[in-house]
């Protein structure tokens, strides 16, 4: 008989509830300081925080040199 591939099975995980992410205050001073360094303008700020709109461009991965 042929042998199948041997691999690690995932097995059954616990059937418990998923941990919920805690609510984060985007106006917290630490969050604002972080945003100051990563956002370039107001539209960028909103997009990074998850407030996107239909006309917004897609994320740019980086420049190719």
């Amino acid at each position: 008989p042929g042998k199948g591939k041997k691999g690690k099975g995932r097995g059954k995980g616990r059937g418990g509830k998923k941990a919920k992410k805690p609510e984060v205050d985007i106006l917290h001073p630490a969050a604002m300081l972080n945003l100051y360094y990563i956002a370039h303008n107001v539209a960028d700020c909103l997009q990074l925080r998850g407030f996107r709109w239909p006309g917004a461009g897609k994320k740019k991965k980086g420049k190719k040199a």
Side-chain angles (χ1 to χ4, degrees):
K3 294 184 179 180
K5 290 183 180 179
K6 290 185 180 180
K8 294 182 181 179
R10 289 198 73 181
K12 291 184 179 180
R14 292 185 180 183
K17 295 179 181 179
K18 289 184 180 180
K20 290 186 178 179
K21 290 184 181 179
E23 285 291 323
V24 179
D25 181 17
I26 63 170
L27 297 177
H28 188 270
M32 292 300 286
L33 183 63
N34 182 34
L35 190 61
Y36 173 79
Y37 289 110
I38 63 173
H40 301 289
N41 54 39
V42 175
D44 195 17
C45 161
L46 291 171
Q47 190 164 352
L48 288 168
R49 291 297 182 230
F51 298 98
R52 292 178 179 83
W53 56 93
K58 296 204 175 191
K59 271 189 178 177
K60 294 180 181 177
K61 294 283 182 170
K63 294 181 180 178
K64 290 186 179 180

